[in-house]
Every structure is written in structure tokens, then in C-alpha cells.
Amino acid sequence: MIESGKQGRSVGFTTKIVISLLLGLVCGLFFGESIQWIKWVGDAFVGLLQMAVLPFVAASLIVNVGRLSAETGWKLLRISSLVLCALWMVSLIALAISIQAFPVWDTGSFYSSNFNEVPPSQDWLELFIPANPFSSLANNAIPAVVVFSLGLGVAIMALPNKSRLLEPLDVAVDALARLNKLVVKMTPVGMFAIVAYTAGTIDLNQLSLIQGYILTYAGSSIVLCFVVLPLLIAAITPYRFGELVTTLRDPLIAAFVIGNSFVVLPMIVEAVKKLEDDHEREGIVDALSSPQPEYLVPLAYPFPDLGRILGLVFIPFAAWFYGTSIDLDRYPVLAGVGLLGSFGKPVVTIPLLLDVAELPSDIFNLFLASGVIAARFGDLMKTTHLVAFTVIVSCCINGVVRWDFRKVALAAAVSCLLLAFNAGLIRSYLDVSFKEQYSRSDLVSERQLVFFNDRVKSSISSRVTSVQDGWASGNSGSEARLDMIQTRGALRVGFESAKMPFSYANADGSLVGFDIDMAYYLADDLQVSLEFVPIKMSELQTHLESGEIDIAMSAIEGTIEQAIQLPAGLPYMDVTLAVVVPDHRKRDFRSKKDILKIPDLKLAVIENSFFADRVKRLVPTEFEVVELNSASEYFDGRDVEADGIVMSAESGSAWTMLRPQFAVANPLQGEIQVPIYYLTASDFAFEKFLKNWLALKKADGTYRRLYDYWILGIDASSPVPRWCILRDVLGWQE
């Protein structure tokens, strides 16, 4: 009767959790972003769960390891290591299969703001070595706390009177477990708040960009948690598939909703103990000789788990997303760094792996955005991993493991087939829908000026004129430039075409780009119209001094010749030297040392550019440098045979969007940067005005907004409020 009552209460608790999840989802969808205030309820619940868990882990490890004999401890170490390696192998196989979910897709990427930045490094000593155990406890350095607890437990093992210390620690462990159980009773309330906040505020647009990663990670995690691991455990232990899934139910729900597997460790311990108690009554497992879940679960927690290893699928996803490939010789390095990095936090490991794979680090922002959903599936796998480790180690210690080759082979075959089916299903979906919905070339060719969205009331007009038209109405006399512009009623801006993303023609023939947008803002502030005049960089001085143009705005790089001939320029941005090469040649341009190994090297440059002059100084005389009129000659293959073209990383990244078979290499790691200028004829008053105007555009956010939009590719449109029933269906909210 007592047992029946326990089961009734257990089912009732699970039912309450499910009801709270559904109510939270409905509440979030109904109120939308206005439900943000409830976040503090969820944060308070998670904080209460956290307050007792780390002390519980530390005390539990000390007590249970200290109680072991030296022989049992050594046996446990050997078995635990083998089981962990086996689980890691399952994770790596699942990772290899999951990678196949990404179809072949050739595309390019915008320039990354972290192009020259060194990824953050992990202090491995601080992570694992508890130089100050109290500091490790205070900072939630779980691996260091586990190392300290294990060390102290091993030291206690040899003490003759260790029971005098272990008995009061036993009381502390029981008290901490009881405290956690009291907090767990508030789970329905906490989960309601967490789900309501998440459902009301999650950014669906960002999630749509990384749906390939989320679908792959989520699909693989569901197969692993509910099929693969239960099947494998059932194939080698006395536990049945159905009861394993039932045992996982409550901890998995809690870990997924809370988004933190650490705080549910006590729930995992209780679930495994219940499983063992049921089989103890059946005479299958001897509870007296069985290792205690209280120390097996915390023992496995700091080590890499299914979730973190499978999470490395983000790196192949990033390569697919950007339309590039990872060289085969990089995979062993990525696997090694990824496995080692799985001991630490993904926020440190992922940027490091992106750098190793030579992928734009800006996609890390999407990884962070995916954490709202993806991290919860990671907690599912972490929870399942801990249960699997504890159950298998316990059965190995007790000698009840059943090695039936046919069952194991069948479970492995079914697992691989399900993972492959999942990957194939996602691949088909992405190939049909996602690729068509998100054509990256459109992000360049279809881009429109920000100015007309920002200054909707402006009536500024513009036209593209020839040099002759501009010169015919020019005035090269002694009149001040500002006065000339006001008298004429037009600002003449010189530009070069095909200078993406600074000045170029989009798909409908409109002149667009960062500098073109800036020109519109300049003309609007002067209250004059715009005349765009095509120019040749070799004749820039003539264009300016003759009055054909008032200002040249077209990503003009500073050169020694310009420094001698032209007045003081107005630098507004620094660009980085890079080499754009065919995708399959990127590995040959990883460093300057690699480049110099290329036989008969032939590099293209754009004439009269800073990079043309610089490359001639850097490259040995036996290598050939070809000067082109524009970058389009190289990318369109107009009788140009060169290994790569040297240009700015900012421009090169934009070109790869339209020519996805090319990639940007960074052989000098950002060592060489050059400022780009807006150049004018000598006129002190006009130069002073432009200097002050640029400062104002940076101060009022215009420059930053245009930089994000044209250089980094970030949408400049105002964020749209999240869809919700209250506003978008009922119309009860503005």
C-alpha cells in the first residue's frame, strides 16, 4: 500500500509538471514580450536549486569515495574509465552520422568583426586544479571541486578512524539532499515561469537562420536519449528498455525545461536509486555491494558527455552555412581540441574551434542565440549520459553485465539506422526549403540603401552623371567649396563601381553601398541634391582639382603617392589585407610561409591600390604580380590566370557572397591594415566640415548602423515585436 501511494504521488508530480509546461507555453504565446517580468520567478527557482547542489556534490564524493577500500577504488577507476570511453565513442559515431544532415551548398560570407581577433583561451589549470577550493566552490568550477573532493576522499580511504569524520558528513549529505527535495517541490511553479518567459521572448528570426543546427542537434539528441542509450543499456544489463525510459522521465523533463542539468543531479540520483531498489526486490542487484549513485553521478558530471560532444556538430554546420568546407587534415585536430574543450564551457570551446576550422567567428553570435533551445537538448543528453554511466558502472561492479553479442549488434544496428534516417530526413528538408529561402547572394545583390528607411521625409534627389557633364558645370575658381556646393544645389561625389560593399550596382541597377549611403546622408545634411560621377583612380587628382567632383567616396586606400599629391584625407575605416582564393586553395594560403611554398606563384592586385604597392614589397621577385583595373576581372575570369587576388577582407568577403566558389584567406593574421579615406581638393574649411561631420555621424549611430549593415551584413531594419495572441489576434495591445 505504501509503495502504491508513492507511485501515485510520483505520477501526480509528473502530471503537475506537464500541466505547468502547457500553461507556461500558452501564457507566453498569449502575452508575448509583455511577460518578461516573470523571468525573475524562474531565475529565483534556478538559484534555489543551485544553492545546495555543489555542496551536495562535494560532500557526497568525499563521503562515498572515503568509504571505499583501496581495491574497490582501483576497480571503480578502471571500470569508470572504460565506460566513459565507450560513451564517448557512441557520441563520436553519432556526431559523424549527424554531420551528413548538411547538404552540399556553395556560398560565401560577410566580413567578420572578429576576423583578426584571437579566440578566448581556457585556463585549464584553473579549471581542474583547486589551488583555492573555496574559490572553486564560489565560482562553480565543477571540475576543480570534483578533483578536490576525490583527492580528499582518497586521502580518507586510508585513515584508520575515518568513520568519525564520515558519520557527520553523512548527516550533511542527507540534509543537503532533503533541502534540494524541498526546492524540487516548487518545480511546477518554476517551470511555468521559465516556459512562459521563453515562449514569449524567443527570437524566431534568429532561430530560423540556424534551423539546420537546431534540427540536427535536437533530432539526434531525441534519438540518443530515448532510443540509442536505453537500447544499448538494455542489451548489456538486467534493466528493461521500458523501465529505463520511465526512469529518465522526470529528470529529463526538469533538465530540459530548466536548461541546467547540474541542478537536477539530486533528481538523477533518486531516479537511479529507485531503479536499483526495484531490482533489489527482484534479487537481480545487491544493494549492499552496489556502488552508490550519490558518488557515481557527481563523478561523471565534470567529464565530456553526449551533449557537449554532439554539440561539436555546430562547426560542420557553420562550414555548411558559409558554403565552405573543412579540410580533412583539420578533423583530427578539431576532434582532439573539441574533446579536450568539452571539459570546459562551449562559449570558450566553440570560438576556438571556429578559429581552428578557419570559419568566420561572427556565427558564434547565432550559436549563443541557439542556446535558448539547443542547450536544453544538451541537458537532455547530459542527464541521459549520467544515468547510463551510473547504471552501467554499477552493473559492471556487481558482475551482472550480460554480453549477448547478438543483442548488442542488433541495438547498435538499429541505433545507427535511426540516426542515419534522422540525418537523411533533415538533409532533405534543408535541401528543399532552407537553401531556397536563404540565398546569401541575395544579401548583396538585393541590398537597398538604409538612408531611405531612415530619412523617409527627405526629398533628396540623385543622378549618375559622366565626368564631362560634371566638368561642364564645374567651377574650379577660388570660390570656397561649401559655397560652390550650396550655389550649385548639388554635391558631386566621385565613385568607382564594383567596389563591394562600398560602392556597386545591385540587381536592379541602383547604385548602393556603404559609401553611397554615407553620401546620401552628407547631401541631406547639406540640403542639396546628389550627382554621382564615375572616376578613374589613376586620375583622381585631376578629378578633384578641376572641380569635376567635390569629394571622392569609394573606399579609397591610402598610398604614398596620394600622401604626396593630395591634401590631408579623412580616414573613416581601417581595412585588412587578405587574399581571396578558390575554395579548394584556401589551405595553401593559411600563412605567409605556406604562400611562399607555392611554385610559380601569381597574385592579382588592383592597380593604384595600397595593396598593389604592398604586395610588390612582400612577395619575392621570382613570383609574378598582375595588376587589374577592377576585382571583377579576377572573379569573372576575364583572361586572368592568378592563384589569388590581394584585396581587403571587407571587400573580398562581399565578393564571395556573389562568387561562392571563392573564400577569404587571412595569411598575415591581420598584421597589415590600411585606412580608407574620403578625399577632397585642398580646401581647409571643407576639410574641417567633413572631419566634424564624420565625428557627428559616428556619435549619432549612423556610421555604426551602416557598418553593421553593409560590412557585417546585419539587418538594419527595426526589430518587429514578437507575435502574440494578445496583440496580433485579439488586438488588445498596441
Side-chain angles (χ1 to χ4, degrees), residues 13 17 21 42-50 180 183-184 186-195 198 250-265 267 371-372 375-377 379-380:
F13 184 70
I17 291 177
L21 296 181
D43 291 343
F45 171 67
V46 174
L48 289 172
L49 283 173
Q50 287 177 324
N180 194 272
V183 178
V184 167
M186 296 186 292
T187 298
V189 176
M191 290 190 177
F192 169 80
I194 293 172
V195 172
T198 303
D250 287 353
L252 286 181
I253 292 175
F256 181 82
V257 176
I258 297 172
N260 189 333
S261 59
F262 182 65
V263 300
V264 299
L265 289 186
M267 294 182 67
V372 178
R376 285 168 160 75
F377 288 99
D379 288 310
L380 278 183

Side-chain angles (χ1 to χ4, degrees), residues 228 231-232 235 406-419:
V228 175
L231 268 181
L232 293 175
R406 288 181 300 175
K407 284 188 176 181
V408 173
L410 180 61
V414 170
S415 299
C416 289
L417 285 174
L418 284 175
L419 286 169

Side-chain angles (χ1 to χ4, degrees), residues 127-376:
L127 182 65
F128 285 98
I129 306 300
N132 183 343
F134 299 102
S135 175
S136 300
L137 283 164
N139 294 314
N140 277 337
I142 299 171
V145 171
V146 170
V147 169
F148 169 75
S149 303
L150 288 175
L152 187 55
V154 170
I156 293 173
M157 284 169 55
L159 292 178
N161 55 347
K162 59 183 180 182
S163 60
R164 295 174 59 185
L165 174 62
L166 294 178
E167 287 177 3
L169 283 177
D170 269 329
V171 176
V173 171
D174 290 341
L176 290 168
R178 185 180 293 271
L179 173 60
N180 194 272
K181 288 180 181 178
L182 292 174
V183 178
V184 167
K185 290 182 179 179
M186 296 186 292
T187 298
V189 176
M191 290 190 177
F192 169 80
I194 293 172
V195 172
Y197 173 78
T198 303
T201 60
I202 191 170
D203 189 341
L204 299 178
N205 290 328
Q206 281 191 318
L207 293 182
S208 68
L209 295 180
I210 50 175
Q211 59 179 294
Y213 167 63
I214 293 177
L215 288 173
T216 303
Y217 191 58
S220 299
S221 69
I222 291 172
V223 174
L224 281 168
C225 291
F226 295 101
V227 181
V228 175
L229 284 185
L231 268 181
L232 293 175
I233 296 172
I236 62 175
T237 70
Y239 302 113
R240 295 180 292 274
F241 178 85
E243 64 184 347
L244 286 166
V245 174
T246 303
T247 297
L248 286 166
R249 183 184 56 197
D250 287 353
L252 286 181
I253 292 175
F256 181 82
V257 176
I258 297 172
N260 189 333
S261 59
F262 182 65
V263 300
V264 299
L265 289 186
M267 294 182 67
I268 299 173
V269 170
E270 290 299 318
V272 176
K273 287 176 70 175
K274 183 180 183 303
L275 185 67
E276 291 183 347
D277 289 343
D278 291 342
H279 279 262
E280 179 194 351
R281 287 190 295 274
E282 298 175 12
I284 298 176
V285 176
D286 183 0
L288 295 177
S289 62
S290 174
Q292 296 297 311
E294 286 91 338
Y295 67 88
L296 284 180
V297 172
L299 179 65
Y301 188 86
F303 293 93
D305 59 88
L306 292 170
R308 289 199 174 179
I309 295 176
L310 188 62
L312 301 180
V313 76
F314 184 82
I315 305 303
F317 161 76
W320 169 77
F321 185 83
Y322 282 121
T324 186
S325 59
I326 301 175
D327 298 330
L328 290 177
D329 63 344
R330 289 294 174 107
Y331 276 104
V333 178
L334 286 170
V337 174
L339 188 60
L340 181 63
S342 296
F343 283 93
K345 296 181 178 180
V347 293
V348 174
T349 306
I350 294 299
L352 178 62
L353 291 173
L354 289 172
D355 181 66
V356 172
E358 297 182 344
L359 296 170
S361 56
D362 269 4
I363 199 173
F364 181 61
N365 294 327
L366 291 181
F367 176 79
L368 294 177
S370 73
V372 178
I373 298 298
R376 285 168 160 75

Side-chain angles (χ1 to χ4, degrees), residues 23 32 263 343 360 407 426 460 482 503 561 636 649 662 673:
L23 289 177
V263 300
F343 283 93
K407 284 188 176 181
I426 295 170
I460 185 173
L482 279 172
S503 56
E561 182 180 357
D636 293 340
F662 293 92
Q673 292 187 310

Side-chain angles (χ1 to χ4, degrees), residues 398-674:
N398 286 286
V400 294
V401 171
R402 304 174 305 184
W403 290 104
D404 187 329
F405 177 77
R406 288 181 300 175
K407 284 188 176 181
V408 173
L410 180 61
V414 170
S415 299
C416 289
L417 285 174
L418 284 175
L419 286 169
F421 177 76
N422 173 70
L425 200 62
I426 295 170
R427 184 187 182 100
S428 300
Y429 167 75
L430 294 176
D431 200 32
V432 171
S433 62
F434 184 73
K435 184 176 178 179
E436 297 301 324
Q437 293 175 4
Y438 192 64
S439 173
R440 298 186 65 82
S441 63
D442 291 346
L443 296 181
V444 173
S445 61
E446 303 291 339
R447 232 151 175 75
Q448 302 293 332
L449 294 172
V450 175
F451 173 80
F452 292 106
N453 291 327
D454 190 23
R455 302 286 182 91
V456 292
K457 295 182 179 179
S458 176
S459 59
I460 185 173
S461 62
S462 65
R463 67 187 183 102
V464 178
T465 67
S466 65
V467 171
Q468 290 77 14
D469 291 339
W471 182 81
S473 57
N475 185 349
S476 56
S478 59
E479 186 178 1
R481 180 70 57 180
L482 279 172
D483 293 338
M484 287 171 50
I485 294 170
Q486 295 291 346
T487 301
R488 188 192 311 129
L491 174 70
R492 292 178 183 156
V493 176
F495 75 98
E496 281 190 303
S497 59
K499 292 282 292 267
M500 294 189 299
F502 298 94
S503 56
Y504 66 99
N506 63 12
D508 61 18
S510 301
L511 188 59
V512 297
F514 178 92
D515 289 330
I516 304 303
D517 238 336
M518 287 290 282
Y520 272 92
Y521 282 97
L522 176 58
D524 187 65
D525 289 336
L526 289 172
Q527 293 295 295
V528 294
S529 63
L530 261 176
E531 293 180 5
F532 289 106
V533 182
I535 60 174
K536 293 182 178 180
M537 199 54 58
S538 58
E539 302 174 9
L540 177 60
Q541 186 177 9
T542 301
H543 293 316
L544 288 169
E545 293 181 351
S546 66
E548 296 165 6
I549 60 174
D550 300 309
I551 183 172
M553 303 177 72
S554 196
I556 302 170
E557 301 145 6
T559 63
I560 298 299
E561 182 180 357
Q562 289 173 358
I564 295 173
Q565 297 181 349
L566 296 171
L570 300 165
Y572 61 97
M573 188 187 302
D574 289 337
V575 294
T576 304
L577 182 147
V579 185
V580 183
V581 297
D583 276 337
H584 66 278
R585 297 290 307 276
K586 187 177 179 181
R587 62 183 300 175
D588 298 329
F589 288 81
R590 291 176 180 170
S591 66
K592 183 180 177 182
K593 186 177 180 180
D594 291 330
I595 293 177
L596 296 179
K597 293 179 182 178
I598 301 174
D600 303 321
L601 178 67
K602 188 175 183 180
L603 291 175
V605 294
I606 301 172
E607 63 178 356
N608 299 312
S609 68
F610 166 85
F611 299 114
D613 178 68
R614 193 65 179 176
V615 169
K616 293 174 184 177
R617 298 170 185 263
L618 290 174
V619 175
T621 54
E622 62 266 25
F623 295 146
E624 187 177 355
V625 177
V626 182
E627 291 194 350
L628 308 177
N629 291 321
S630 68
S632 60
E633 293 182 31
Y634 172 76
F635 291 105
D636 293 340
R638 301 180 203 163
D639 300 324
V640 177
E641 294 182 2
D643 296 290
I645 181 171
V646 181
M647 61 194 310
S648 73
E650 289 79 356
S651 291
S653 298
W655 274 106
T656 64
M657 303 282 281
L658 294 181
R659 303 290 188 274
Q661 65 271 29
F662 293 92
V664 180
N666 187 17
L668 299 183
Q669 302 303 312
E671 290 181 7
I672 298 179
Q673 292 187 310
V674 60

